[in-house]
mmCIF file of all heavy atoms in Angstrom:
data_model
loop_
_atom_site.group_PDB
_atom_site.id
_atom_site.type_symbol
_atom_site.label_atom_id
_atom_site.label_comp_id
_atom_site.label_asym_id
_atom_site.label_seq_id
_atom_site.Cartn_x
_atom_site.Cartn_y
_atom_site.Cartn_z
ATOM 1 N N MET X 64 0.826 -1.186 0.000
ATOM 2 C CA MET X 64 0.000 0.000 0.000
ATOM 3 C C MET X 64 0.871 1.251 0.000
ATOM 4 O O MET X 64 0.532 2.235 -0.644
ATOM 5 C CB MET X 64 -0.920 -0.014 1.219
ATOM 6 C CG MET X 64 -1.912 1.097 1.236
ATOM 7 S SD MET X 64 -3.053 1.034 2.599
ATOM 8 C CE MET X 64 -4.204 -0.143 1.981
ATOM 9 N N LEU X 65 1.960 1.183 0.700
ATOM 10 C CA LEU X 65 2.853 2.334 0.727
ATOM 11 C C LEU X 65 3.500 2.538 -0.645
ATOM 12 O O LEU X 65 3.794 3.660 -1.035
ATOM 13 C CB LEU X 65 3.918 2.136 1.803
ATOM 14 C CG LEU X 65 4.656 3.367 2.282
ATOM 15 C CD1 LEU X 65 3.690 4.426 2.761
ATOM 16 C CD2 LEU X 65 5.611 3.007 3.381
ATOM 17 N N GLY X 66 3.668 1.453 -1.371
ATOM 18 C CA GLY X 66 4.203 1.546 -2.730
ATOM 19 C C GLY X 66 3.283 2.326 -3.656
ATOM 20 O O GLY X 66 3.739 3.126 -4.487
ATOM 21 N N TRP X 67 1.979 2.096 -3.519
ATOM 22 C CA TRP X 67 1.006 2.835 -4.331
ATOM 23 C C TRP X 67 1.056 4.321 -3.994
ATOM 24 O O TRP X 67 0.900 5.173 -4.880
ATOM 25 C CB TRP X 67 -0.403 2.298 -4.121
ATOM 26 C CG TRP X 67 -0.644 1.036 -4.866
ATOM 27 C CD1 TRP X 67 -0.681 -0.218 -4.347
ATOM 28 C CD2 TRP X 67 -0.842 0.899 -6.270
ATOM 29 N NE1 TRP X 67 -0.911 -1.117 -5.346
ATOM 30 C CE2 TRP X 67 -1.007 -0.469 -6.530
ATOM 31 C CE3 TRP X 67 -0.896 1.798 -7.327
ATOM 32 C CZ2 TRP X 67 -1.229 -0.945 -7.817
ATOM 33 C CZ3 TRP X 67 -1.110 1.310 -8.596
ATOM 34 C CH2 TRP X 67 -1.269 -0.041 -8.834
ATOM 35 N N THR X 68 1.260 4.637 -2.723
ATOM 36 C CA THR X 68 1.364 6.032 -2.323
ATOM 37 C C THR X 68 2.541 6.696 -3.024
ATOM 38 O O THR X 68 2.424 7.809 -3.539
ATOM 39 C CB THR X 68 1.532 6.138 -0.802
ATOM 40 O OG1 THR X 68 0.430 5.512 -0.167
ATOM 41 C CG2 THR X 68 1.637 7.571 -0.352
ATOM 42 N N LEU X 69 3.661 6.000 -3.063
ATOM 43 C CA LEU X 69 4.844 6.558 -3.728
ATOM 44 C C LEU X 69 4.623 6.711 -5.228
ATOM 45 O O LEU X 69 5.078 7.684 -5.827
ATOM 46 C CB LEU X 69 6.062 5.679 -3.447
ATOM 47 C CG LEU X 69 6.517 5.657 -1.990
ATOM 48 C CD1 LEU X 69 7.648 4.658 -1.804
ATOM 49 C CD2 LEU X 69 6.941 7.033 -1.548
ATOM 50 N N VAL X 70 3.904 5.756 -5.839
ATOM 51 C CA VAL X 70 3.616 5.846 -7.274
ATOM 52 C C VAL X 70 2.776 7.089 -7.563
ATOM 53 O O VAL X 70 3.083 7.869 -8.481
ATOM 54 C CB VAL X 70 2.893 4.570 -7.767
ATOM 55 C CG1 VAL X 70 2.326 4.776 -9.161
ATOM 56 C CG2 VAL X 70 3.843 3.386 -7.751
ATOM 57 N N PHE X 71 1.716 7.304 -6.789
ATOM 58 C CA PHE X 71 0.872 8.470 -7.020
ATOM 59 C C PHE X 71 1.610 9.772 -6.707
ATOM 60 O O PHE X 71 1.378 10.794 -7.349
ATOM 61 C CB PHE X 71 -0.421 8.371 -6.207
ATOM 62 C CG PHE X 71 -1.453 7.503 -6.851
ATOM 63 C CD1 PHE X 71 -1.751 6.262 -6.333
ATOM 64 C CD2 PHE X 71 -2.114 7.911 -7.984
ATOM 65 C CE1 PHE X 71 -2.691 5.445 -6.920
ATOM 66 C CE2 PHE X 71 -3.057 7.115 -8.593
ATOM 67 C CZ PHE X 71 -3.357 5.875 -8.058
ATOM 68 N N LEU X 72 2.507 9.742 -5.733
ATOM 69 C CA LEU X 72 3.301 10.920 -5.425
ATOM 70 C C LEU X 72 4.222 11.275 -6.590
ATOM 71 O O LEU X 72 4.335 12.438 -6.968
ATOM 72 C CB LEU X 72 4.114 10.698 -4.151
ATOM 73 C CG LEU X 72 4.965 11.870 -3.689
ATOM 74 C CD1 LEU X 72 4.081 13.062 -3.344
ATOM 75 C CD2 LEU X 72 5.806 11.478 -2.504
ATOM 76 N N VAL X 73 4.852 10.277 -7.184
ATOM 77 C CA VAL X 73 5.721 10.525 -8.336
ATOM 78 C C VAL X 73 4.902 11.042 -9.512
ATOM 79 O O VAL X 73 5.322 11.976 -10.213
ATOM 80 C CB VAL X 73 6.504 9.240 -8.706
ATOM 81 C CG1 VAL X 73 7.191 9.390 -10.045
ATOM 82 C CG2 VAL X 73 7.511 8.914 -7.619
ATOM 83 N N ILE X 74 3.731 10.453 -9.731
ATOM 84 C CA ILE X 74 2.853 10.931 -10.804
ATOM 85 C C ILE X 74 2.484 12.394 -10.571
ATOM 86 O O ILE X 74 2.504 13.206 -11.509
ATOM 87 C CB ILE X 74 1.589 10.053 -10.911
ATOM 88 C CG1 ILE X 74 1.956 8.666 -11.435
ATOM 89 C CG2 ILE X 74 0.539 10.705 -11.806
ATOM 90 C CD1 ILE X 74 0.816 7.668 -11.386
ATOM 91 N N ALA X 75 2.170 12.736 -9.327
ATOM 92 C CA ALA X 75 1.814 14.124 -9.009
ATOM 93 C C ALA X 75 2.984 15.066 -9.252
ATOM 94 O O ALA X 75 2.808 16.156 -9.800
ATOM 95 C CB ALA X 75 1.351 14.218 -7.562
ATOM 96 N N LEU X 76 4.180 14.650 -8.870
ATOM 97 C CA LEU X 76 5.350 15.509 -9.075
ATOM 98 C C LEU X 76 5.655 15.715 -10.545
ATOM 99 O O LEU X 76 5.926 16.831 -10.992
ATOM 100 C CB LEU X 76 6.561 14.915 -8.351
ATOM 101 C CG LEU X 76 6.516 14.953 -6.831
ATOM 102 C CD1 LEU X 76 7.693 14.184 -6.248
ATOM 103 C CD2 LEU X 76 6.504 16.374 -6.341
ATOM 104 N N VAL X 77 5.600 14.641 -11.328
ATOM 105 C CA VAL X 77 5.882 14.742 -12.761
ATOM 106 C C VAL X 77 4.814 15.589 -13.448
ATOM 107 O O VAL X 77 5.124 16.457 -14.274
ATOM 108 C CB VAL X 77 5.986 13.339 -13.401
ATOM 109 C CG1 VAL X 77 6.042 13.437 -14.911
ATOM 110 C CG2 VAL X 77 7.204 12.605 -12.868
ATOM 111 N N ALA X 78 3.553 15.357 -13.117
ATOM 112 C CA ALA X 78 2.475 16.134 -13.724
ATOM 113 C C ALA X 78 2.593 17.606 -13.342
ATOM 114 O O ALA X 78 2.333 18.489 -14.164
ATOM 115 C CB ALA X 78 1.119 15.578 -13.292
ATOM 116 N N GLY X 79 2.971 17.870 -12.106
ATOM 117 C CA GLY X 79 3.158 19.261 -11.677
ATOM 118 C C GLY X 79 4.288 19.941 -12.424
ATOM 119 O O GLY X 79 4.183 21.109 -12.802
ATOM 120 N N LEU X 80 5.377 19.224 -12.639
ATOM 121 C CA LEU X 80 6.500 19.799 -13.377
ATOM 122 C C LEU X 80 6.150 20.076 -14.835
ATOM 123 O O LEU X 80 6.652 21.022 -15.436
ATOM 124 C CB LEU X 80 7.710 18.860 -13.309
ATOM 125 C CG LEU X 80 8.430 18.798 -11.972
ATOM 126 C CD1 LEU X 80 9.510 17.714 -12.002
ATOM 127 C CD2 LEU X 80 9.044 20.139 -11.645
ATOM 128 N N LEU X 81 5.273 19.240 -15.402
ATOM 129 C CA LEU X 81 4.885 19.412 -16.797
ATOM 130 C C LEU X 81 3.721 20.384 -16.969
ATOM 131 O O LEU X 81 3.312 20.647 -18.094
ATOM 132 C CB LEU X 81 4.541 18.049 -17.415
ATOM 133 C CG LEU X 81 5.703 17.052 -17.501
ATOM 134 C CD1 LEU X 81 5.223 15.731 -18.046
ATOM 135 C CD2 LEU X 81 6.830 17.608 -18.350
ATOM 136 N N GLY X 82 3.172 20.878 -15.875
ATOM 137 C CA GLY X 82 2.132 21.881 -15.965
ATOM 138 C C GLY X 82 0.710 21.347 -15.950
ATOM 139 O O GLY X 82 -0.224 22.080 -16.240
ATOM 140 N N PHE X 83 0.533 20.089 -15.643
ATOM 141 C CA PHE X 83 -0.815 19.505 -15.565
ATOM 142 C C PHE X 83 -1.299 19.610 -14.122
ATOM 143 O O PHE X 83 -1.244 18.655 -13.354
ATOM 144 C CB PHE X 83 -0.797 18.041 -16.019
ATOM 145 C CG PHE X 83 -0.395 17.863 -17.448
ATOM 146 C CD1 PHE X 83 0.863 17.375 -17.776
ATOM 147 C CD2 PHE X 83 -1.268 18.190 -18.467
ATOM 148 C CE1 PHE X 83 1.233 17.203 -19.090
ATOM 149 C CE2 PHE X 83 -0.908 18.028 -19.792
ATOM 150 C CZ PHE X 83 0.353 17.534 -20.109
ATOM 151 N N GLY X 84 -1.815 20.769 -13.771
ATOM 152 C CA GLY X 84 -2.190 21.034 -12.390
ATOM 153 C C GLY X 84 -3.331 20.171 -11.886
ATOM 154 O O GLY X 84 -3.327 19.727 -10.742
ATOM 155 N N GLY X 85 -4.327 19.924 -12.729
ATOM 156 C CA GLY X 85 -5.470 19.122 -12.309
ATOM 157 C C GLY X 85 -5.085 17.687 -12.014
ATOM 158 O O GLY X 85 -5.496 17.113 -10.996
ATOM 159 N N ILE X 86 -4.297 17.123 -12.886
ATOM 160 C CA ILE X 86 -3.841 15.745 -12.687
ATOM 161 C C ILE X 86 -2.923 15.662 -11.477
ATOM 162 O O ILE X 86 -3.006 14.718 -10.687
ATOM 163 C CB ILE X 86 -3.132 15.219 -13.955
ATOM 164 C CG1 ILE X 86 -4.127 15.152 -15.116
ATOM 165 C CG2 ILE X 86 -2.500 13.862 -13.706
ATOM 166 C CD1 ILE X 86 -3.491 14.835 -16.448
ATOM 167 N N ALA X 87 -2.071 16.650 -11.318
ATOM 168 C CA ALA X 87 -1.154 16.660 -10.176
ATOM 169 C C ALA X 87 -1.932 16.750 -8.865
ATOM 170 O O ALA X 87 -1.619 16.046 -7.904
ATOM 171 C CB ALA X 87 -0.182 17.828 -10.287
ATOM 172 N N GLY X 88 -2.945 17.582 -8.828
ATOM 173 C CA GLY X 88 -3.749 17.717 -7.613
ATOM 174 C C GLY X 88 -4.508 16.445 -7.286
ATOM 175 O O GLY X 88 -4.592 16.035 -6.125
ATOM 176 N N ALA X 89 -5.065 15.820 -8.318
ATOM 177 C CA ALA X 89 -5.810 14.579 -8.103
ATOM 178 C C ALA X 89 -4.886 13.463 -7.623
ATOM 179 O O ALA X 89 -5.218 12.727 -6.685
ATOM 180 C CB ALA X 89 -6.515 14.161 -9.389
ATOM 181 N N ALA X 90 -3.725 13.332 -8.244
ATOM 182 C CA ALA X 90 -2.782 12.292 -7.844
ATOM 183 C C ALA X 90 -2.261 12.533 -6.429
ATOM 184 O O ALA X 90 -2.102 11.589 -5.653
ATOM 185 C CB ALA X 90 -1.618 12.212 -8.835
ATOM 186 N N ALA X 91 -2.023 13.782 -6.084
ATOM 187 C CA ALA X 91 -1.564 14.094 -4.731
ATOM 188 C C ALA X 91 -2.658 13.795 -3.709
ATOM 189 O O ALA X 91 -2.370 13.291 -2.618
ATOM 190 C CB ALA X 91 -1.148 15.556 -4.639
ATOM 191 N N GLY X 92 -3.890 14.073 -4.065
ATOM 192 C CA GLY X 92 -5.008 13.763 -3.171
ATOM 193 C C GLY X 92 -5.156 12.271 -2.945
ATOM 194 O O GLY X 92 -5.371 11.817 -1.811
ATOM 195 N N ILE X 93 -5.040 11.499 -4.020
ATOM 196 C CA ILE X 93 -5.120 10.041 -3.903
ATOM 197 C C ILE X 93 -3.964 9.522 -3.050
ATOM 198 O O ILE X 93 -4.156 8.656 -2.189
ATOM 199 C CB ILE X 93 -5.123 9.394 -5.299
ATOM 200 C CG1 ILE X 93 -6.417 9.735 -6.032
ATOM 201 C CG2 ILE X 93 -4.953 7.882 -5.197
ATOM 202 C CD1 ILE X 93 -6.421 9.334 -7.494
ATOM 203 N N ALA X 94 -2.764 10.043 -3.270
ATOM 204 C CA ALA X 94 -1.600 9.616 -2.485
ATOM 205 C C ALA X 94 -1.807 9.918 -1.006
ATOM 206 O O ALA X 94 -1.480 9.101 -0.145
ATOM 207 C CB ALA X 94 -0.339 10.308 -2.998
ATOM 208 N N LYS X 95 -2.389 11.074 -0.700
ATOM 209 C CA LYS X 95 -2.625 11.454 0.685
ATOM 210 C C LYS X 95 -3.635 10.513 1.342
ATOM 211 O O LYS X 95 -3.431 10.059 2.471
ATOM 212 C CB LYS X 95 -3.135 12.887 0.757
ATOM 213 C CG LYS X 95 -3.227 13.428 2.161
ATOM 214 C CD LYS X 95 -3.867 14.811 2.216
ATOM 215 C CE LYS X 95 -3.117 15.816 1.395
ATOM 216 N NZ LYS X 95 -3.681 17.182 1.543
ATOM 217 N N ILE X 96 -4.708 10.196 0.636
ATOM 218 C CA ILE X 96 -5.733 9.299 1.177
ATOM 219 C C ILE X 96 -5.155 7.916 1.434
ATOM 220 O O ILE X 96 -5.361 7.328 2.500
ATOM 221 C CB ILE X 96 -6.938 9.226 0.225
ATOM 222 C CG1 ILE X 96 -7.687 10.553 0.231
ATOM 223 C CG2 ILE X 96 -7.874 8.089 0.605
ATOM 224 C CD1 ILE X 96 -8.723 10.673 -0.863
ATOM 225 N N ILE X 97 -4.416 7.382 0.466
ATOM 226 C CA ILE X 97 -3.831 6.049 0.626
ATOM 227 C C ILE X 97 -2.829 6.043 1.781
ATOM 228 O O ILE X 97 -2.750 5.079 2.546
ATOM 229 C CB ILE X 97 -3.175 5.574 -0.684
ATOM 230 C CG1 ILE X 97 -4.241 5.359 -1.752
ATOM 231 C CG2 ILE X 97 -2.396 4.287 -0.478
ATOM 232 C CD1 ILE X 97 -3.679 5.038 -3.121
ATOM 233 N N PHE X 98 -2.060 7.119 1.927
ATOM 234 C CA PHE X 98 -1.087 7.196 3.014
ATOM 235 C C PHE X 98 -1.780 7.170 4.370
ATOM 236 O O PHE X 98 -1.359 6.459 5.279
ATOM 237 C CB PHE X 98 -0.232 8.459 2.877
ATOM 238 C CG PHE X 98 0.768 8.615 3.979
ATOM 239 C CD1 PHE X 98 1.898 7.804 4.018
ATOM 240 C CD2 PHE X 98 0.594 9.559 4.964
ATOM 241 C CE1 PHE X 98 2.827 7.935 5.034
ATOM 242 C CE2 PHE X 98 1.514 9.705 5.982
ATOM 243 C CZ PHE X 98 2.633 8.895 6.010
ATOM 244 N N PHE X 99 -2.868 7.924 4.520
ATOM 245 C CA PHE X 99 -3.572 7.937 5.805
ATOM 246 C C PHE X 99 -4.243 6.592 6.090
ATOM 247 O O PHE X 99 -4.282 6.153 7.239
ATOM 248 C CB PHE X 99 -4.583 9.082 5.860
ATOM 249 C CG PHE X 99 -3.929 10.420 6.066
ATOM 250 C CD1 PHE X 99 -4.135 11.452 5.175
ATOM 251 C CD2 PHE X 99 -3.094 10.644 7.146
ATOM 252 C CE1 PHE X 99 -3.533 12.683 5.354
ATOM 253 C CE2 PHE X 99 -2.481 11.873 7.339
ATOM 254 C CZ PHE X 99 -2.705 12.894 6.434
ATOM 255 N N ILE X 100 -4.741 5.925 5.059
ATOM 256 C CA ILE X 100 -5.293 4.577 5.251
ATOM 257 C C ILE X 100 -4.189 3.637 5.721
ATOM 258 O O ILE X 100 -4.398 2.813 6.618
ATOM 259 C CB ILE X 100 -5.961 4.074 3.962
ATOM 260 C CG1 ILE X 100 -7.235 4.868 3.674
ATOM 261 C CG2 ILE X 100 -6.286 2.585 4.064
ATOM 262 C CD1 ILE X 100 -7.846 4.574 2.317
ATOM 263 N N PHE X 101 -2.997 3.756 5.137
ATOM 264 C CA PHE X 101 -1.857 2.944 5.546
ATOM 265 C C PHE X 101 -1.510 3.178 7.013
ATOM 266 O O PHE X 101 -1.288 2.232 7.769
ATOM 267 C CB PHE X 101 -0.646 3.259 4.660
ATOM 268 C CG PHE X 101 0.633 2.670 5.161
ATOM 269 C CD1 PHE X 101 0.906 1.331 4.979
ATOM 270 C CD2 PHE X 101 1.569 3.450 5.826
ATOM 271 C CE1 PHE X 101 2.093 0.777 5.454
ATOM 272 C CE2 PHE X 101 2.746 2.916 6.296
ATOM 273 C CZ PHE X 101 3.002 1.576 6.107
ATOM 274 N N ILE X 102 -1.491 4.451 7.434
ATOM 275 C CA ILE X 102 -1.157 4.771 8.824
ATOM 276 C C ILE X 102 -2.191 4.174 9.776
ATOM 277 O O ILE X 102 -1.841 3.594 10.808
ATOM 278 C CB ILE X 102 -1.049 6.300 9.023
ATOM 279 C CG1 ILE X 102 0.133 6.860 8.246
ATOM 280 C CG2 ILE X 102 -0.947 6.664 10.493
ATOM 281 C CD1 ILE X 102 1.485 6.360 8.712
ATOM 282 N N VAL X 103 -3.479 4.288 9.435
ATOM 283 C CA VAL X 103 -4.543 3.742 10.287
ATOM 284 C C VAL X 103 -4.410 2.230 10.398
ATOM 285 O O VAL X 103 -4.495 1.660 11.492
ATOM 286 C CB VAL X 103 -5.931 4.150 9.752
ATOM 287 C CG1 VAL X 103 -7.038 3.377 10.441
ATOM 288 C CG2 VAL X 103 -6.145 5.637 9.921
ATOM 289 N N LEU X 104 -4.193 1.557 9.276
ATOM 290 C CA LEU X 104 -4.051 0.096 9.308
ATOM 291 C C LEU X 104 -2.807 -0.328 10.079
ATOM 292 O O LEU X 104 -2.818 -1.341 10.784
ATOM 293 C CB LEU X 104 -4.021 -0.464 7.892
ATOM 294 C CG LEU X 104 -5.334 -0.369 7.120
ATOM 295 C CD1 LEU X 104 -5.147 -0.878 5.693
ATOM 296 C CD2 LEU X 104 -6.432 -1.141 7.815
ATOM 297 N N LEU X 105 -1.726 0.442 9.971
ATOM 298 C CA LEU X 105 -0.518 0.150 10.731
ATOM 299 C C LEU X 105 -0.784 0.255 12.233
ATOM 300 O O LEU X 105 -0.381 -0.628 13.007
ATOM 301 C CB LEU X 105 0.605 1.110 10.340
ATOM 302 C CG LEU X 105 1.892 0.985 11.152
ATOM 303 C CD1 LEU X 105 2.588 -0.326 10.846
ATOM 304 C CD2 LEU X 105 2.801 2.155 10.875
ATOM 305 N N LEU X 106 -1.466 1.308 12.649
ATOM 306 C CA LEU X 106 -1.767 1.475 14.068
ATOM 307 C C LEU X 106 -2.684 0.371 14.579
ATOM 308 O O LEU X 106 -2.474 -0.153 15.683
ATOM 309 C CB LEU X 106 -2.392 2.846 14.313
ATOM 310 C CG LEU X 106 -1.463 4.037 14.129
ATOM 311 C CD1 LEU X 106 -2.229 5.336 14.287
ATOM 312 C CD2 LEU X 106 -0.305 3.967 15.094
ATOM 313 N N ILE X 107 -3.689 -0.003 13.792
ATOM 314 C CA ILE X 107 -4.584 -1.090 14.195
ATOM 315 C C ILE X 107 -3.801 -2.391 14.337
ATOM 316 O O ILE X 107 -3.997 -3.150 15.289
ATOM 317 C CB ILE X 107 -5.738 -1.239 13.186
ATOM 318 C CG1 ILE X 107 -6.683 -0.044 13.293
ATOM 319 C CG2 ILE X 107 -6.508 -2.539 13.410
ATOM 320 C CD1 ILE X 107 -7.727 0.006 12.197
ATOM 321 N N SER X 108 -2.898 -2.641 13.405
ATOM 322 C CA SER X 108 -2.090 -3.851 13.456
ATOM 323 C C SER X 108 -1.181 -3.864 14.687
ATOM 324 O O SER X 108 -1.045 -4.899 15.358
ATOM 325 C CB SER X 108 -1.254 -3.963 12.187
ATOM 326 O OG SER X 108 -0.401 -5.057 12.242
ATOM 327 N N LEU X 109 -0.561 -2.735 14.995
ATOM 328 C CA LEU X 109 0.312 -2.670 16.164
ATOM 329 C C LEU X 109 -0.476 -2.851 17.453
ATOM 330 O O LEU X 109 -0.036 -3.565 18.366
ATOM 331 C CB LEU X 109 1.061 -1.335 16.189
ATOM 332 C CG LEU X 109 2.152 -1.165 15.145
ATOM 333 C CD1 LEU X 109 2.710 0.248 15.203
ATOM 334 C CD2 LEU X 109 3.252 -2.177 15.334
ATOM 335 N N ILE X 110 -1.641 -2.229 17.543
ATOM 336 C CA ILE X 110 -2.473 -2.373 18.742
ATOM 337 C C ILE X 110 -2.952 -3.810 18.897
ATOM 338 O O ILE X 110 -2.939 -4.365 19.999
ATOM 339 C CB ILE X 110 -3.663 -1.390 18.693
ATOM 340 C CG1 ILE X 110 -3.138 0.037 18.859
ATOM 341 C CG2 ILE X 110 -4.687 -1.704 19.778
ATOM 342 C CD1 ILE X 110 -4.176 1.105 18.584
ATOM 343 N N ALA X 111 -3.362 -4.442 17.793
ATOM 344 C CA ALA X 111 -3.808 -5.833 17.860
ATOM 345 C C ALA X 111 -2.670 -6.747 18.309
ATOM 346 O O ALA X 111 -2.875 -7.679 19.086
ATOM 347 C CB ALA X 111 -4.349 -6.280 16.509
ATOM 348 N N GLY X 112 -1.462 -6.488 17.835
ATOM 349 C CA GLY X 112 -0.315 -7.285 18.250
ATOM 350 C C GLY X 112 0.003 -7.127 19.721
ATOM 351 O O GLY X 112 0.340 -8.095 20.408
ATOM 352 N N VAL X 113 -0.114 -5.913 20.226
ATOM 353 C CA VAL X 113 0.138 -5.676 21.646
ATOM 354 C C VAL X 113 -0.916 -6.345 22.494
ATOM 355 O O VAL X 113 -0.620 -6.940 23.548
ATOM 356 C CB VAL X 113 0.202 -4.156 21.932
ATOM 357 C CG1 VAL X 113 0.181 -3.871 23.421
ATOM 358 C CG2 VAL X 113 1.444 -3.564 21.295
ATOM 359 N N LEU X 114 -2.172 -6.292 22.076
ATOM 360 C CA LEU X 114 -3.257 -6.917 22.831
ATOM 361 C C LEU X 114 -3.137 -8.436 22.850
ATOM 362 O O LEU X 114 -3.578 -9.084 23.795
ATOM 363 C CB LEU X 114 -4.613 -6.508 22.261
ATOM 364 C CG LEU X 114 -5.000 -5.046 22.469
ATOM 365 C CD1 LEU X 114 -6.317 -4.744 21.802
ATOM 366 C CD2 LEU X 114 -5.044 -4.698 23.943
ATOM 367 N N ARG X 115 -2.527 -9.002 21.832
ATOM 368 C CA ARG X 115 -2.302 -10.454 21.805
ATOM 369 C C ARG X 115 -1.113 -10.859 22.659
ATOM 370 O O ARG X 115 -0.866 -12.030 22.884
ATOM 371 C CB ARG X 115 -2.066 -10.926 20.374
ATOM 372 C CG ARG X 115 -3.292 -10.889 19.541
ATOM 373 C CD ARG X 115 -2.989 -11.437 18.175
ATOM 374 N NE ARG X 115 -4.142 -11.321 17.316
ATOM 375 C CZ ARG X 115 -4.112 -11.438 16.015
ATOM 376 N NH1 ARG X 115 -2.958 -11.655 15.414
ATOM 377 N NH2 ARG X 115 -5.210 -11.328 15.296
ATOM 378 N N GLY X 116 -0.328 -9.885 23.100
ATOM 379 C CA GLY X 116 0.804 -10.181 23.960
ATOM 380 C C GLY X 116 2.108 -10.346 23.213
ATOM 381 O O GLY X 116 3.122 -10.695 23.788
ATOM 382 N N ARG X 117 2.094 -10.084 21.928
ATOM 383 C CA ARG X 117 3.332 -10.182 21.147
ATOM 384 C C ARG X 117 3.944 -8.797 20.998
ATOM 385 O O ARG X 117 3.228 -7.830 20.775
ATOM 386 C CB ARG X 117 3.041 -10.733 19.753
ATOM 387 C CG ARG X 117 2.554 -12.133 19.754
ATOM 388 C CD ARG X 117 2.443 -12.624 18.335
ATOM 389 N NE ARG X 117 1.203 -13.389 18.224
ATOM 390 C CZ ARG X 117 0.624 -13.682 17.102
ATOM 391 N NH1 ARG X 117 1.112 -13.262 15.962
ATOM 392 N NH2 ARG X 117 -0.477 -14.397 17.074
ATOM 393 N N PRO X 118 5.263 -8.714 21.045
ATOM 394 C CA PRO X 118 5.897 -7.395 20.810
ATOM 395 C C PRO X 118 5.768 -7.042 19.329
ATOM 396 O O PRO X 118 5.789 -7.906 18.453
ATOM 397 C CB PRO X 118 7.356 -7.623 21.203
ATOM 398 C CG PRO X 118 7.565 -9.080 21.112
ATOM 399 C CD PRO X 118 6.232 -9.734 21.401
ATOM 400 N N PRO X 119 5.642 -5.756 19.009
ATOM 401 C CA PRO X 119 5.508 -5.339 17.601
ATOM 402 C C PRO X 119 6.785 -5.597 16.829
ATOM 403 O O PRO X 119 7.892 -5.367 17.327
ATOM 404 C CB PRO X 119 5.201 -3.857 17.690
ATOM 405 C CG PRO X 119 5.632 -3.431 19.042
ATOM 406 C CD PRO X 119 5.564 -4.639 19.925
ATOM 407 N N LYS X 120 6.640 -6.081 15.610
ATOM 408 C CA LYS X 120 7.795 -6.294 14.713
ATOM 409 C C LYS X 120 7.887 -5.102 13.792
ATOM 410 O O LYS X 120 7.023 -4.829 13.007
ATOM 411 C CB LYS X 120 7.601 -7.564 13.888
ATOM 412 C CG LYS X 120 7.630 -8.821 14.677
ATOM 413 C CD LYS X 120 7.504 -10.008 13.755
ATOM 414 C CE LYS X 120 7.525 -11.295 14.534
ATOM 415 N NZ LYS X 120 7.401 -12.467 13.654
ATOM 416 N N LEU X 121 8.980 -4.375 13.898
ATOM 417 C CA LEU X 121 9.167 -3.203 13.051
ATOM 418 C C LEU X 121 10.221 -3.416 12.058
ATOM 419 O O LEU X 121 11.037 -4.049 11.852
ATOM 420 C CB LEU X 121 9.469 -1.968 13.883
ATOM 421 C CG LEU X 121 8.370 -1.548 14.833
ATOM 422 C CD1 LEU X 121 8.834 -0.342 15.641
ATOM 423 C CD2 LEU X 121 7.129 -1.141 14.052
#
């Protein structure tokens, strides 16, 4: 999931450099949403691991 975030971020940067503002904004928005979903799932996973009694693997 983090890989998709990086892909959309690169697309946004390239589109921004080439002057495609609408595409750059949309790609950056998608990257931001995917990144926050990743963070939420990471926190849920870490909390579930702690509740099971296992130390988190980082």
